Amino acid sequence: MKKLRTVAVWTLISLLVQYGGYSYLNHKIQQVITPDQSPKIITTLLKATIPGSNLQNVQVSYAKDYIAYSEDGTLKVFNLKKQKVVFEKAPPSGNSSSLGVLTYQWLPDRNTLLYFYAKANPNPYTLETVYPTQNQSKTSGQTSQSKVQTPSTTEPKTEDPNEKANSKTTDKSSDKTNSNSTTKESTKGQPAKPYVVKHYNNPQLTELYSLDLPDSDDDSTAPDDRFNQTIDNFPAGGTIEECVVSTFTNLMYLTVKSAQSELLLEIDVMKNVKTLSKSGETIDNMAASDRYGTLYLDSKVGSKHEVIALDGSKRVVISNNNSDQILGIRDGSVYIGEIENNRLVKIKTTDDLTHVTSNPSLDTLWEGTIPYDDSVRTLIGADGQVIVYNDQTANIITKGNLSEVKLQGDENYVSVDGAELVQLTKNGDSTQAVLQPLKSKE
C-alpha cells in the first residue's frame, strides 16, 4: 500500500511539472506567433526653437524626438534634442506647384518617415521603330498585307467603266495584263518601309521614399533616405488627400484626387499597386486595421453614403446611416462617430474581426455634443481614448467620460498615439515648440 501511495505521489508531481513546462512553452510560442502589436508609448518634456515661421503639416515622430514639417514647399525634419534641421527635400526646379513632396507620414512604431515625391518625367514619350514584314504565300502566290499600308505604285482603279486610265495601250486585254504585271513587280520590288510609333508616357513620375532616422543623440549617422518604388498609375497633377498605413500587414492605402477622378490605391510589401475605388466614388475618411490590414472608409456614390470595410477585394457595409463616419481603429475596436449639424453626438464601436460581417451590431460608447467642423482633427489614442481637437481645445473621451483641455499654442498637434501634445508659437522668424504629455483633466 505504501509503495502504491509513493508511486501515485511521484506520478502527480511528474504531471504537474510537465503541465508547467508545457504551459511555459505554449506561452512563448504564442508570443512568437502573435507578437504584441501595440508599440511602447513614449512621452517627453522639452522646448525647442525651430527656424521659420510658416510651418505646415507638423508631425512628431514615434520617439517624440523629431518633427517633420513643410515650409514653402520643402519637407524638413528637425532634431528636437540637437535643435537643428537634419533633412530637407525641396521641390524640383520649375513653376509647377503640383510637384515636390505630396505627403508624408511617420510610422507609428519607429522613427521612419514615408513620403511621396513627384517630378516631371524626363522621358514623356518613347519612340518605337516598327519593321513590317511581307511574307510570300506559297499557295496563292499573293503578297500578305502589312499592318501599316505602304505607298502603292499601281495606277488608280476607276469605278466608271467608260473612264479610261491614262495609257497608250488601246487593247483591253493587253492593258489588263500589263497592269497586273506592273502591280506584282512594284510590290515585289519595294518592300514595306519601317516607320516610327510615338508612345506617350505619364508626364509625371511619382515616387515613394522611406527616411530612416538614427537615434537623436547620434551625431555620426546621417538619415537614410531610400527610394522604394515608382507609382506608375499615379495621375499627373494628382494630390494625395489621405494616407493610412497598417504596419503589421505592410499595407498602405491612399486616396488620390485629380481633375478627372478620385482613386483609392493599395500598395503592399511586394510593391504591387491596386486600384480599389469604384467609378464616381468619393472617399472622405479612412482607417486601416492595425491587426488585419482591413480598410474602413466613408464611401459616397451619388447620394448614397456608407461606412464600408474592404476585406481584400470584398466590400462589406458596416453602416448605411448618412450621419455615420469612421473615426479610427485601435486594438481590435472600430470607432464610428455620428455627426449631426456639425456636431459629434454619438460614438459607437464594433469589433475589428478577421473576416468582417455586414451591418454588425454597434455599441454606444458615448453620447453628448462636441463641435465637429472642418477645423477639427480626430484620432484614437493608444489607450482607446477618442481625441477631437482644434487649435484651441482638445476634447478627450475616455471610457465614455468626456474631459476638455485648453490648448496654449498658436497651433497645436497631437501625436498619433494620443500621448504627446506639440504646441507651436510664432516668434518673429522662428517658431517656439513645446512638447509635453497630453493629460485630460477629469
Side-chain angles (χ1 to χ4, degrees):
M1 191 70 181
K2 185 177 180 180
K3 289 183 178 180
L4 290 175
R5 190 164 50 246
T6 302
V7 171
V9 169
W10 280 109
T11 301
L12 180 60
I13 292 174
S14 175
L15 290 173
L16 291 174
V17 171
Q18 291 181 53
Y19 176 78
Y22 288 139
S23 297
Y24 175 80
L25 289 175
N26 181 67
H27 176 69
K28 290 298 182 182
I29 292 172
Q30 288 298 321
Q31 285 183 329
V32 173
I33 296 176
T34 310
D36 186 9
Q37 299 167 15
S38 300
K40 179 183 176 182
I41 303 303
I42 299 174
T43 58
T44 188
L45 281 169
L46 60 83
K47 296 181 180 180
T49 300
I50 304 175
S53 59
N54 188 29
L55 280 56
Q56 297 177 334
N57 192 15
V58 176
Q59 300 180 29
V60 64
S61 67
Y62 158 71
K64 316 302 187 300
D65 50 358
Y66 289 98
I67 277 184
Y69 59 92
S70 176
E71 184 179 26
D72 299 326
T74 298
L75 169 63
K76 297 183 180 182
V77 178
F78 185 82
N79 185 324
L80 290 164
K81 291 185 178 180
K82 300 294 183 180
Q83 301 210 23
K84 63 179 181 180
V85 175
V86 295
F87 178 81
E88 294 187 35
K89 188 81 169 188
S93 58
N95 298 322
S96 178
S97 59
S98 63
L99 302 180
V101 176
L102 301 179
T103 192
Y104 48 91
Q105 182 171 311
W106 290 104
L107 291 182
D109 56 355
R110 72 202 80 161
N111 274 3
T112 297
L113 185 73
L114 303 179
Y115 69 91
F116 291 85
Y117 189 82
K119 61 184 180 181
N121 190 345
N123 300 305
Y125 61 85
T126 54
L127 299 177
E128 178 187 9
T129 302
V130 179
Y131 297 91
T133 58
Q134 291 182 338
N135 299 320
Q136 191 72 22
S137 175
K138 294 182 181 180
T139 58
S140 62
Q142 295 179 352
T143 304
S144 62
Q145 296 293 325
S146 171
K147 290 184 178 180
V148 177
Q149 296 180 354
T150 57
S152 175
T153 58
T154 61
E155 296 180 0
K157 294 182 179 180
T158 57
E159 296 181 357
D160 186 351
N162 296 319
E163 182 179 352
K164 301 290 183 82
N166 294 329
S167 177
K168 295 181 180 179
T169 307
T170 56
D171 186 358
K172 293 182 180 180
S173 60
S174 176
D175 181 55
K176 184 176 180 180
T177 303
N178 292 340
S179 176
N180 291 338
S181 176
T182 304
T183 302
K184 290 181 180 180
E185 290 177 1
S186 63
T187 304
K188 191 174 181 179
Q190 294 188 11
K193 296 180 179 180
Y195 60 95
V196 176
V197 176
K198 194 174 188 179
H199 299 286
Y200 288 93
N201 303 322
N202 191 331
Q204 174 179 307
L205 295 180
T206 305
E207 301 168 334
L208 173 61
Y209 288 82
S210 61
L211 180 69
D212 293 328
L213 279 301
D215 188 281
S216 53
D217 293 323
D218 185 356
D219 290 325
S220 60
T221 305
D224 185 9
D225 187 26
R226 296 184 182 182
F227 166 80
N228 287 337
Q229 69 182 101
T230 299
I231 315 300
D232 294 326
N233 53 343
F234 194 100
T239 58
I240 298 178
E241 298 289 305
E242 193 169 0
C243 176
V244 295
V245 178
S246 174
T247 55
F248 187 68
T249 57
N250 290 311
L251 288 173
M252 178 185 299
Y253 302 94
L254 54 151
T255 52
V256 182
K257 184 175 291 186
S258 66
Q260 293 77 27
S261 63
E262 181 172 345
L263 301 176
L264 171 61
L265 302 180
E266 177 195 84
I267 305 174
D268 63 22
V269 69
M270 301 304 294
K271 300 183 180 182
N272 298 313
V273 181
K274 297 179 183 178
T275 300
L276 305 178
S277 50
K278 296 169 62 176
S279 178
E281 182 178 37
T282 299
I283 298 170
D284 292 325
N285 302 284
M286 298 194 305
S289 168
D290 49 1
R291 295 187 174 188
Y292 311 115
T294 307
L295 180 66
Y296 295 82
L297 54 88
D298 298 334
S299 170
K300 185 176 181 181
V301 180
S303 60
K304 186 178 181 181
H305 170 87
E306 294 175 326
V307 178
I308 68 170
L310 283 177
D311 187 7
S313 59
K314 180 182 177 184
R315 284 178 170 246
V316 181
V317 176
I318 303 300
S319 171
N320 53 15
N321 185 344
N322 284 334
S323 300
D324 285 352
Q325 74 174 49
I326 189 73
L327 298 180
I329 302 174
R330 180 73 72 168
D331 293 337
S333 293
V334 181
Y335 294 78
I336 296 173
E338 190 170 321
I339 316 298
E340 294 182 357
N341 299 320
N342 290 330
R343 301 191 77 83
L344 176 64
V345 297
K346 185 184 291 187
I347 297 176
K348 299 170 281 189
T349 63
T350 189
D351 293 334
D352 177 22
L353 303 175
T354 308
H355 299 289
V356 184
T357 58
S358 180
N359 293 306
S361 60
L362 302 177
D363 300 323
T364 299
L365 175 67
W366 169 86
E367 286 187 89
T369 178
I370 295 174
Y372 204 88
D373 54 23
D374 293 337
S375 67
V376 303
R377 307 180 186 93
T378 305
L379 59 89
I380 312 300
D383 295 326
Q385 72 273 33
V386 181
I387 303 173
V388 181
Y389 74 100
N390 55 23
D391 285 331
Q392 293 79 40
T393 307
N395 293 284
I396 305 174
I397 301 168
T398 307
K399 297 180 180 178
N401 298 315
L402 173 64
S403 63
E404 185 179 281
V405 177
K406 294 296 182 182
L407 306 179
Q408 305 300 320
D410 295 335
E411 297 180 17
N412 299 279
Y413 300 88
V414 179
S415 59
V416 293
D417 55 16
E420 192 79 9
L421 173 64
V422 181
Q423 299 183 116
L424 302 178
T425 304
K426 296 180 181 179
N427 184 13
D429 294 333
S430 61
T431 300
Q432 302 298 317
V434 177
L435 275 73
Q436 63 186 41
L438 177 62
K439 295 181 179 179
S440 61
K441 299 177 182 179
E442 300 182 5

